[in-house]
């Protein structure tokens, strides 16, 4: 959420106030203690700036630094003045490394100067600053400095986050800073240990000790930068992979539409050839979906198989001659024998297409009967695929209520009576139960309107809209 104008003004006022107080603390530091060892002071201050220069930029926005160890060491050895110079060196280092946001530099200078001043005053009045030759005292002073710097930074940053973002001060402190306290204490002890070494050996030993530490920091910076570059490249590769997945998905969708368009062409060819049953396949396929859902089939792929099998059930009639298919009179036994081959013909046609093989099984069995008296394989009961059992009922219902040249279609109620009469012989009783549940809705349908195919593609209209294929 973007900060409001009031929040921006309050943030600016807070930054200016912290900088002003820090400037006062910075100035006062030079009146509290002086030193004659300017070389040692310069060395420690420079080491503090270099340590800040080697802060490690994280993968996310932000950096991690141990520069505050130099601040604590400077305060221990040279009082508030040393701390003030170490803070100034850290800010110069930040500026040189490109962290040049004026508001952030002023704010950091202010609250760090205040914290360093408080540490210096505390060490002076507790006597720690004058008794660094005692290792326990020096270590305690370092730990105390770490605690004060931690709370000074954490409180200041949590407060400005509350002012600028309106977020709870306690939440800011707990989530962003509380876990850092042990690190500040441990690194404060490190500063105390280096102070002991200074008292015993002198600045040369401190410099020699710090050089490997700084070199390790430089190596870590190089390692993290290289790792970050690898992470960036991986993220770019991942983005490219995601784009490729989207393209493959789009191509798969286009391929599915092309497959379904093939079905549309075959159904249209059948309708053109046999005008008597025009629209019959789509109506039966739509009703088959209703029954399948009532029987607990909810997987889209399974429903598509049922729909395609019902839609393409008569594709095998392509291999039946017009003399037989369109014969107005009763077929002879020999002609019936040939007509009964169309389920197997349809199966052979569809089974050559991998994604139609499940539907082809329905086509092969769509004239089987529950009592085993059907064709072509005389399957019985559960041996018949469920899709074929569903289709058989829906096909019979549509055939009964449809007009034919040789008879008028009967009423839906008459069709229902006939179907229920055939329960357990021609039809699966369980499928009949689902049919009875769906029947009230079917009876209200307009049989003269051909149902639009559900699983056929939607084509783009050249004027910007969409329309059903067909």
């Amino acid at each position: 959420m973007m900060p409001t104008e009031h929040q921006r003004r309050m943030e600016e006022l807070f930054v200016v106030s912290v900088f002003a107080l820090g400037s006062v603390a910075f100035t006062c530091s030079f009146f509290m203690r002086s030193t004659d060892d300017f070389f040692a002071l310069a060395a420690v201050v420079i080491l503090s700036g270099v340590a800040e220069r080697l802060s490690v930029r994280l993968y996310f926005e932000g950096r991690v630094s141990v520069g505050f160890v130099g601040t604590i060491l400077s305060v221990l050895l040279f009082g508030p003045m040393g701390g003030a110079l170490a803070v100034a060196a850290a800010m110069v280092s930040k500026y040189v490394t490109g962290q040049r946001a004026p508001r952030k530099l002023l704010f950091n200078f202010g609250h760090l100067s205040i914290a360093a001043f408080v540490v210096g005053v505390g060490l002076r009045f507790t006597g720690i600053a004058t008794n660094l030759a005692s290792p326990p005292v020096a270590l305690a002073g370092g730990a105390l400095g770490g605690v004060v710097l931690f709370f000074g930074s954490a409180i200041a940053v949590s407060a400005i986050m509350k002012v600028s973002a309106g977020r709870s001060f306690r939440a800011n402190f707990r989530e962003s800073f509380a876990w850092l306290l042990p690190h500040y204490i441990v690194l404060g002890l490190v500063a105390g240990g280096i102070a002991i070494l200074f008292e015993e050996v002198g600045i040369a030993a401190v410099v020699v000790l710090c050089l490997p530490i700084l070199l390790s920091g430089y190596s870590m910076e190089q390692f993290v930068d290289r790792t970050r570059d690898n992470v960036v490249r991986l993220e770019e590769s991942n983005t490219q992979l995601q784009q490729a997945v989207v393209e493959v998905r789009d191509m798969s969708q286009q391929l599915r539409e092309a497959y379904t368009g093939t079905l549309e062409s075959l159904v249209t060819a059948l309708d053109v050839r046999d005008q008597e049953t025009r629209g019959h396949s789509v109506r039966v396929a739509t009703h088959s979906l209703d029954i399948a859902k009532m029987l607990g089939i909810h997987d889209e792929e399974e429903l598509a198989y049922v729909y395609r099998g019902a839609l393409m059930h008569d594709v095998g009639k392509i291999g039946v001659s017009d003399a037989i298919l369109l014969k107005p009179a009763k077929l002879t036994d020999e002609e019936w024998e040939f007509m009964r081959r169309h389920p197997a013909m349809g199966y052979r046609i569809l089974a050559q297409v991998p994604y139609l093989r499940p539907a082809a099984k329905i086509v092969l069995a769509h004239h089987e009967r529950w009592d085993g008296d059907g064709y072509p394989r005389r399957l019985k009961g559960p041996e018949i695929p469920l899709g074929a059992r569903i289709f058989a009922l829906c096909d019979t219902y549509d055939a009964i209520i449809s007009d034919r040249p040789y008879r008028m279609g009967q009423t839906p109620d008459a069709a229902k009576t006939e179907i229920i009469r055939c329960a357990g012989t021609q039809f699966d009783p369980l499928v009949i139960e689902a049919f009875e549940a769906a029947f009230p809705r079917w009876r209200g349908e307009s049989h003269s309107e051909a149902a639009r195919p559900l699983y056929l593609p939607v084509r783009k209209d050249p004027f910007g809209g969409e329309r059903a294929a067909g």
Side-chain angles (χ1 to χ4, degrees):
M1 185 175 63
M2 295 293 293
T4 64
E5 185 63 29
H6 174 71
Q7 287 176 322
R8 281 194 291 267
R9 286 199 300 270
M10 292 298 296
E11 180 182 350
E12 291 175 358
L13 178 61
F14 189 79
V15 170
V16 170
S17 300
V18 170
F19 175 72
L21 290 174
S23 299
V24 172
F26 181 84
T27 303
C28 292
S29 299
F30 290 89
F31 295 97
M32 293 193 62
R33 181 181 174 184
S34 60
T35 180
D36 296 330
D37 195 350
F38 293 104
F39 176 77
L41 173 62
V44 173
V45 169
I46 291 172
L47 287 174
S48 300
V50 173
E52 189 64 39
R53 164 65 181 83
L54 296 178
S55 63
V56 178
R57 184 160 59 94
L58 302 176
Y59 303 127
F60 51 86
E61 192 64 29
R63 307 179 76 93
V64 61
S65 169
V66 295
F68 69 90
V69 176
T71 302
I72 298 174
L73 179 61
S74 298
V75 175
L76 283 171
L77 299 179
F78 308 110
M81 178 184 66
L85 291 174
V87 169
M91 294 303 103
V92 171
S93 179
K94 283 180 178 291
Y95 182 83
V96 171
T97 56
Q99 303 174 58
R100 299 179 179 178
R103 184 179 302 180
K104 184 177 293 186
L105 284 174
L106 294 177
F107 178 74
N108 288 337
F109 172 81
H111 75 77
L112 289 175
S113 295
I114 295 170
F117 181 78
V118 171
V119 172
V121 171
L123 294 178
R124 179 177 179 179
F125 282 99
T126 57
I128 293 176
T130 57
N131 195 21
L132 293 179
S134 171
V137 173
L139 292 174
L144 176 63
V147 171
V148 173
L149 280 180
F150 165 77
F151 279 103
S153 297
I155 292 173
V157 177
S158 297
I160 197 170
M161 289 172 67
K162 175 178 174 56
V163 171
S164 60
R167 193 163 177 264
S168 166
F169 174 88
R170 180 178 296 180
N172 293 331
F173 183 88
R174 183 177 61 252
E175 295 176 12
S176 301
F177 298 102
W179 60 278
L180 285 171
L181 178 59
H183 300 273
Y184 272 77
I185 294 175
V186 170
L187 291 175
L189 292 172
V190 170
I194 297 175
I196 296 171
L197 182 64
F198 175 82
E199 293 291 330
E200 295 292 332
V201 182
I203 189 60
V206 173
V207 173
V208 171
L209 176 64
C210 289
L211 285 178
I213 298 176
L214 295 176
L215 182 61
S216 298
Y218 177 75
S219 300
M220 182 181 295
E221 180 186 30
Q222 297 300 308
F223 173 77
V224 172
D225 284 345
R226 182 70 59 86
T227 305
R228 184 173 53 252
D229 291 340
N230 291 334
V231 169
V232 170
R233 283 196 292 270
L234 284 174
E235 289 177 346
E236 291 175 351
S237 299
N238 184 54
T239 300
Q240 294 172 358
L241 182 60
Q242 289 177 341
Q243 292 173 347
V245 168
V246 171
E247 291 175 1
V248 170
R249 187 178 61 208
D250 291 342
M251 291 176 64
S252 298
Q253 179 62 29
Q254 293 173 8
L255 187 59
R256 280 195 296 269
E257 291 183 356
Y259 282 156
T260 330
T262 303
L263 298 189
E264 177 190 22
S265 299
L266 289 173
V267 173
T268 302
L270 291 174
D271 279 347
V272 169
R273 189 175 181 213
D274 187 1
Q275 292 292 322
E276 285 186 12
T277 58
R278 184 171 180 83
H280 166 74
S281 297
V282 173
R283 291 194 301 270
V284 172
T286 304
H287 284 165
S288 295
L289 273 186
D290 281 351
I291 299 297
K293 292 174 182 176
M294 288 186 174
L295 291 175
I297 300 177
H298 298 295
D299 181 74
E300 283 296 321
E301 201 65 27
E302 284 191 65
L303 291 173
Y305 293 152
V306 171
Y307 186 85
R308 292 165 186 164
L311 187 69
M312 304 300 297
H313 70 277
D314 273 342
V315 70
K317 288 183 178 179
I318 291 175
V320 179
S321 68
D322 288 347
I324 297 176
L325 183 64
L326 305 179
K327 184 177 180 179
K330 184 178 180 180
L331 299 181
T332 65
D333 290 343
E334 183 180 352
E335 290 170 337
W336 266 117
E337 184 63 28
F338 196 85
M339 176 67 84
R340 284 173 178 163
R341 297 177 188 174
H342 80 270
M345 292 180 185
Y347 175 80
R348 286 196 294 271
I349 292 171
L350 299 183
Q352 296 183 54
V353 183
Y355 94 109
L356 290 179
R357 283 172 189 161
K361 296 177 182 179
I362 296 175
V363 171
L364 179 61
H366 78 274
H367 276 299
E368 301 288 358
R369 289 170 52 104
W370 182 256
D371 60 8
D373 200 25
Y375 65 89
R377 294 182 295 167
R378 301 185 69 83
L379 300 179
K380 184 176 182 180
E383 296 175 352
I384 306 169
L386 178 59
R389 284 179 262 154
I390 293 171
F391 164 80
L393 184 147
C394 297
D395 181 55
T396 300
Y397 174 79
D398 193 79
I400 292 174
I401 65 174
S402 298
D403 293 334
R404 295 289 186 265
Y406 47 86
R407 65 163 174 81
M408 293 292 293
Q410 300 182 48
T411 65
D413 289 305
K416 177 184 176 184
T417 300
E418 177 63 19
I419 287 172
I420 292 176
R421 186 183 67 80
C422 296
T425 55
Q426 185 174 350
F427 305 119
D428 179 352
L430 189 62
V431 176
I432 286 182
E433 290 181 13
F435 161 71
E436 289 183 285
F439 178 73
R441 187 173 68 256
W442 292 9
R443 182 168 53 184
E445 293 175 345
S446 175
H447 190 62
S448 60
E449 294 182 6
R452 182 172 69 83
L454 299 181
Y455 285 89
L456 297 188
V458 172
R459 294 179 179 166
K460 296 293 182 182
D461 189 289
F463 298 102
E466 294 183 346
R467 60 184 179 85

